[in-house]
Amino acid sequence: MATEFHNLQELRHSASLATKVFIQRDYSDSTICKFQTKFPAELDSRIERSLFEVTMKTLNCYYAEAEKIGGQSYLEGCLACATAYIIFLCMETRYEKILKKISMYIQEQNEKVYAPRGLLLTDPIERGMRVIEISIFEDSGSTSSSSSGSSPTSSTAQ
Amino acid sequence: MHLGVEEPIRECQYNQICTHNSSPMDTPHTKKRKSKRKWQVFPGRNRFYCNGRIMMAKQTGVFYLTMVLILVTSGLFFAFDCPFLASNLTPAIPAIGGVLFVFVMGMLLRASFSDPGVLPRATPEEAADIERQIDATNGPSGPGYRPPPRTREVLINGQTVKLKYCFTCKIFRPPRASHCSLCDNCVERFDHHCPWVGNCVGRRNYRFFYLFILSLSFLTLFIFAFVITHICVFLDGCTVLEVVVCFFSVWSIVGLSGFHTYLISSNQTTNEDIKGSWSSKRGKGNYNPYSYGNFITNCCAALCGPLPPSLIDRRGFVQPDTPQPAAQTNGTGACPPNQVQSHMCAQDQCIQSTKFVLQAATNPLLHSQPIILGGGPTLQAKSSLGGPCSTLTPSQPSLPSSIPGLTCGGELLALRDSEIHCHHHLHHQHFISPEETPSPPAALPCATHLGHHVHPAQLFNPVSQDSLHEDSVRGLVKLSSV
C-alpha cells in the first residue's frame, strides 16, 4: 500500500488540471447550507449523473442535519449559555462534529468514485462554504496536449 | 483520440489520484518550513492577536472605553457600596452582582474577539467562473456602456430576494450578508458594525452581543437601584459618579436591548430594519421570508441555534501552492509572495518573467493616461492597456506583437492554467462599485478581469514603480536564459 501511494503521489503531480467546475449554493431554502444538485455539463462525459446526485444529496443532508434547529441544538445552546460559553473550549459543537463527518465522506467519495474518473472534490469548508469545487484532471494517458500545467517530468519525454 | 462529448464513460483509463493531500486536517510538512498563518495574509482590515485566536476591527478605541466604563463602575460598586449593602441588607447582593459582572464581561469579550461570520474572498478560479457566468448572462457590451449592477434573484419562501455581487470579495453575497466597509469584509447575516464592541456583529457573534447588552442592562439597573439605595442613606463622591454613569447608560442600553429583542423576535437584522427591507410599506406582498412565524421560535433560533464554525481558518497555515484570493489592501505592489517562488520550475520562471515585463510595459501607460476601461469581457477596445493584459484571459490565446522582448511568451500565455490568474490577482485587481464604500486600494491593477469602473490613476502605487522596473529588467534577463 505504501508503494501504491508513492506512485499515486507521482501521478498526482503529473496529472494535469484541465478545469474546475463550481457547484454554487442553493438559497431557495433560506440561508441554510445547501448546494445545487443540477448536473454540470462539463462532467457529462466523466461521471454518471446518478453518482453525482447521490453525492450532492448526501452532502445536503449532512449540512441540513448540522443546521437543524431542534432538541439537540437547543440543549447545546442552553448549556453553553449557562456556562457562559466556556464549555465550547472543552467540547466540540455539533456542527463541527458533522463537518468532520462531511470531510470523511468527501475523502471517501474521492477515493472510490471521483479519483478513478479523474475528478477531485474539494471540501466546501475550504472555500468558505460557498461552492463545491470539482477539479477535472486531464487523462494522463491522453495524447492531446491542450492542458496547461504539464509537469517538468513530462517535458523530458519531448 | 480520446476527445468527444458522446464518448461513453471511460473505464480504468485514469490512474487513481492520491486524495491523501486533500485532507484539511493534517498538514505537518508545512509546519517545518516557516509558513505563514492565514491571519497574517488576511485581506480584510482586521487586527489579530494571540497568534490569530483573537480577531477585532481596526479601530478599537471605543471598545477600551466600554471596558473602562464597565470595570470602573462595577469596581466602585463592589468596593464602596457592596460592604454597606452586604452588611445592612443581604450578602446575596454582591454575589448576584458578581455573577452578573462576570457574565457581562464574558459576553463582551466573546462578542469582541470572535469572528462575526466573515466570508472568505473568492479564489481566482472562482472569481473567473463567476465572471464567465455573469458575462454569459449579460452578454457582451460595447465600450463605454456601463452594464447594470450584478445581481442574482432568488426565491426564498415565496419572496424574491436579490443577491448582490461584491466587487471586493468577488462573490455573490448570500442572503442577509453585507459588506462592512470598516472591516472590508463580507459578513454573513450582517447586523451592524459596533464600535463599542470593536467588531462587526454577524451570524457567529450576534447571540453574544445580544446577551451582552441584555446582561449589561440588568447589571446597570442592578447597580443603579442599589446605589440609589445607598445614596439615600449615605452620600459619597464615588457613589455619585456611579449614579451618573448608570443613569445615562440605562436609557441607551435598556433601549438597545429592547430594540434587539424586537429584532430577534421578528428575525430581522439591524441592517434590514434600517433599510426597511421587509417593511409592509414597500409593498403589499412584502414579508420577511426568514421568520419562523412565531416569536418564540425566532428567539430560540437566534439564541440557541447551532453555532457555525469560522470560515476563515485564521490559524491555519498558508499552503504554498494555493492561489491566494484577490485584493490585498495593504499595498503589496510588484513583489509576488514567497509561496509562488517555492515552485520555481522553468515554466514558472517564464511566467514570472513575462508578468514582470508586462507590468513594466503597462506601468508608463498607467501613469500617463487616465484610462477608464469600458465593459466587455475581452477588453479589446479602448486602449493599449487593455491589450497586453487582456491576452491573459482564457479566451485570448495570442499575444499582441507590441510587447517587446517576449520570445516564449506567446506560447506561455496561451496557457489556460489558472496559475496565471493567480499571479495577476496578486497584483490586486480592485473593483470599485458605486454601491460600496471603497476600501483604500494600493496596487497596480492588471486588466485581466477588470470590469467596468476601474480608475487606474487612483489605484496606482508610485512606491512600487522603481521596483517594477527593476523587476522587469530581471525578468528580461531570466527570459533570455530560459
Side-chain angles (χ1 to χ4, degrees):
Chain A
M1 199 61 184
T3 321
E4 190 181 356
F5 268 124
H6 179 65
N7 291 335
L8 289 171
Q9 288 280 8
E10 283 176 351
L11 287 165
R12 185 165 209 234
H13 286 302
S14 61
S16 50
L17 181 68
T19 185
K20 289 186 180 182
V21 177
F22 297 96
I23 313 289
Q24 301 286 340
R25 283 271 293 268
D26 177 10
Y27 293 113
S28 57
D29 269 344
S30 185
T31 51
I32 63 159
C33 187
K34 192 177 163 190
F35 290 95
Q36 291 176 358
T37 49
K38 186 178 142 231
F39 189 69
E42 293 91 336
L43 299 180
D44 216 358
S45 58
R46 298 290 187 125
I47 190 168
E48 293 91 340
R49 197 177 278 252
S50 55
L51 286 172
F52 174 80
E53 278 174 12
V54 160
T55 313
M56 289 297 126
K57 281 182 182 164
T58 315
L59 284 174
N60 284 340
C61 282
Y62 272 122
Y63 285 117
E65 193 195 324
E67 298 199 11
K68 197 176 74 168
I69 301 168
Q72 204 173 350
S73 73
Y74 286 156
L75 192 65
E76 194 183 50
C78 291
L79 184 68
C81 184
T83 59
Y85 294 92
I86 294 170
I87 199 165
F88 284 151
L89 296 170
C90 315
M91 72 173 224
E92 244 179 7
T93 63
R94 197 165 142 264
Y95 208 113
E96 283 166 352
K97 285 182 193 155
I98 294 179
L99 283 179
K100 279 199 173 149
K101 274 196 215 169
I102 290 170
S103 285
M104 300 296 294
Y105 175 74
I106 288 177
Q107 198 165 342
E108 181 215 330
Q109 285 286 292
N110 272 334
E111 282 167 7
K112 290 186 183 165
V113 179
Y114 290 86
R117 291 167 171 80
L119 302 170
L120 194 70
L121 287 181
T122 305
D123 196 338
I125 195 78
E126 292 179 40
R127 297 287 176 264
M129 304 278 264
R130 287 187 308 267
V131 287
I132 297 177
E133 187 181 290
I134 304 178
S135 309
I136 302 176
F137 288 88
E138 275 291 320
D139 184 0
S140 56
S142 167
T143 52
S144 60
S145 56
S146 60
S147 66
S148 53
S150 50
S151 71
T153 52
S154 65
S155 64
T156 54
Q158 298 175 6
Chain B
M1 292 288 280
H2 295 287
L3 301 171
V5 178
E6 293 169 5
E7 199 185 327
I9 309 295
R10 288 176 258 198
E11 292 175 348
C12 302
Q13 285 185 10
Y14 292 94
N15 296 303
Q16 192 167 20
I17 295 159
C18 174
T19 55
H20 193 63
N21 281 345
S22 66
S23 163
M25 305 298 174
D26 49 332
T27 51
H29 59 280
T30 55
K31 288 179 187 172
K32 287 175 188 171
R33 291 180 253 171
K34 265 194 174 179
S35 306
K36 282 189 169 180
R37 291 204 189 245
K38 288 182 186 172
W39 67 265
Q40 291 171 303
V41 296
F42 186 70
R45 233 180 287 141
N46 288 90
R47 280 198 194 168
F48 296 89
Y49 304 102
C50 292
N51 202 7
R53 290 181 181 90
I54 291 173
M55 177 177 179
M56 294 181 77
K58 198 172 177 188
Q59 278 101 18
T60 50
V62 187
F63 165 71
Y64 294 124
L65 175 67
T66 310
M67 290 280 280
V68 162
L69 280 172
I70 296 174
L71 287 170
V72 166
T73 313
S74 304
L76 289 174
F77 174 72
F78 289 120
F80 293 101
D81 299 293
C82 280
F84 171 81
L85 293 163
S87 54
N88 288 19
L89 288 174
T90 164
I93 294 170
I96 295 170
V99 167
L100 266 176
F101 172 73
V102 166
F103 194 77
V104 163
M105 289 308 294
M107 291 300 107
L108 171 63
L109 296 177
R110 193 74 204 231
S112 303
F113 294 165
S114 54
D115 170 15
V118 172
L119 288 166
R121 297 187 185 187
T123 56
E125 296 101 355
E126 257 182 85
D129 187 64
I130 291 177
E131 288 282 336
R132 275 194 292 272
Q133 284 178 27
I134 290 170
D135 294 333
T137 321
N138 289 344
S141 40
Y145 170 69
R146 191 161 139 168
R150 300 165 167 191
T151 54
R152 261 184 200 164
E153 290 200 347
V154 154
L155 198 67
I156 298 176
N157 288 336
Q159 187 82 359
T160 307
V161 176
K162 267 192 182 166
L163 304 185
K164 286 187 180 171
Y165 180 77
C166 181
F167 286 94
T168 311
C169 304
K170 303 222 174 58
I171 56 169
F172 274 97
R173 284 184 216 128
R176 313 191 94 177
S178 191
H179 190 95
C180 176
S181 50
L182 290 165
C183 301
D184 202 24
N185 294 316
C186 272
V187 178
E188 272 190 298
R189 202 190 181 276
F190 180 74
D191 195 86
H192 66 286
H193 181 100
C194 187
W196 299 95
V197 149
N199 205 354
C200 287
V201 177
R203 186 180 176 203
R204 294 189 75 246
N205 66 349
Y206 184 64
R207 69 191 68 189
F208 307 128
F209 173 77
Y210 177 72
L211 290 170
F212 163 64
I213 57 174
L214 192 68
S215 54
L216 185 63
S217 35
F218 284 129
L219 181 69
T220 317
L221 285 167
F222 185 85
I223 292 177
F224 191 55
F226 287 108
V227 156
I228 294 286
T229 313
H230 191 194
I231 270 187
C232 293
V233 176
F234 176 69
L235 193 69
D236 184 16
C238 295
T239 319
V240 170
L241 173 69
E242 289 169 57
V243 168
V244 167
V245 171
C246 287
F247 180 77
F248 288 110
S249 307
V250 155
W251 300 109
S252 50
I253 293 174
V254 172
L256 193 64
S257 306
F259 174 62
H260 277 279
T261 308
Y262 156 72
L263 288 181
I264 280 187
S265 60
S266 59
N267 203 331
Q268 284 188 88
T269 62
T270 306
N271 203 27
E272 287 164 355
D273 187 70
I274 286 174
K275 285 183 185 171
S277 307
W278 314 121
S279 163
S280 51
K281 291 175 193 171
R282 279 211 177 191
K284 268 190 181 176
N286 204 31
Y287 59 91
N288 184 3
Y290 311 110
S291 175
Y292 291 96
N294 66 83
F295 88 96
I296 293 174
T297 319
N298 286 337
C299 288
C300 291
L303 301 175
C304 299
L307 188 66
S310 175
L311 298 174
I312 54 175
D313 187 27
R314 316 188 277 282
R315 288 178 43 79
F317 287 98
V318 174
Q319 300 288 335
D321 51 358
T322 309
Q324 290 301 299
Q328 301 214 5
T329 56
N330 52 1
T332 49
C335 306
N338 293 330
Q339 54 255 38
V340 177
Q341 292 176 347
S342 61
H343 291 291
M344 274 311 191
C345 61
Q347 202 165 52
D348 285 336
Q349 278 188 351
C350 215
I351 293 169
Q352 286 289 322
S353 319
T354 317
K355 183 187 63 173
F356 290 144
V357 170
L358 286 170
Q359 282 162 18
T362 57
N363 202 5
L365 294 167
L366 274 176
H367 200 44
S368 55
Q369 305 168 23
I371 295 156
I372 297 169
L373 296 172
T378 56
L379 294 169
Q380 272 183 330
K382 268 292 159 191
S383 66
S384 51
L385 173 62
C389 290
S390 71
T391 60
L392 296 165
T393 58
S395 55
Q396 300 274 343
S398 60
L399 255 190
S401 53
S402 57
I403 305 298
L406 285 171
T407 51
C408 62
E411 283 168 90
L412 269 183
L413 292 171
L415 301 183
R416 289 161 186 273
D417 196 345
S418 56
E419 282 282 285
I420 291 184
H421 298 298
C422 156
H423 297 319
H424 271 272
H425 277 275
L426 293 171
H427 291 270
H428 187 95
Q429 297 161 35
H430 191 72
F431 296 92
I432 299 174
S433 160
E435 302 163 47
E436 296 173 350
T437 313
S439 57
L444 256 192
C446 237
T448 310
H449 290 297
L450 277 178
H452 316 283
H453 17 256
V454 174
H455 301 275
Q458 190 179 352
L459 296 172
F460 176 67
N461 184 2
V463 176
S464 61
Q465 190 179 2
D466 288 334
S467 61
L468 259 184
H469 284 299
E470 214 179 271
D471 288 337
S472 70
V473 171
R474 247 190 279 139
L476 284 168
V477 169
K478 272 187 196 169
L479 269 175
S480 60
S481 66
V482 165

